[in-house]
Amino acid sequence: EQSPIINVKDWVEFFIKDSETDEPIKNAKYILRLPDEEEREGTTDDEGYIFIENIPAGGYELIIEDYNIDITNQGREKRK
């Protein structure tokens, strides 16, 4: 449950490269599934980077279909 007082936003950054040539993969289409089930779509930049701001803290899934890439992050554990 989210606090009505604190609304934490996070960011993620990825570097996507070809595993054989180590060259960045430009303009690759991606889908980022967020913990609140929102999906964000876009493409890698000219240097192979993806940078997304203002996402809710927690786990996410990054899918780059043309390159058969699927990365899941469970998010950080809550501090006690």
Side-chain angles (χ1 to χ4, degrees), residues 3-63:
S3 166
I5 299 170
I6 300 173
N7 186 7
V8 176
K9 294 291 183 179
D10 215 340
W11 60 271
V12 291
E13 180 178 44
F14 303 94
F15 174 64
I16 309 300
K17 68 177 183 173
D18 185 295
S19 61
E20 293 178 10
T21 66
D22 281 342
E23 292 294 316
I25 298 177
K26 304 173 185 179
N27 302 313
K29 293 181 183 179
Y30 68 82
I31 298 170
L32 183 68
R33 291 191 181 130
L34 302 173
D36 62 1
E37 300 185 21
E38 177 187 355
E39 290 187 355
R40 303 230 187 137
E41 298 180 22
T43 58
T44 57
D45 68 14
D46 288 340
E47 296 177 357
Y49 283 94
I50 298 169
F51 182 79
I52 304 171
E53 298 180 284
N54 296 320
I55 63 172
Y60 55 82
E61 181 180 17
L62 176 68
I63 301 166

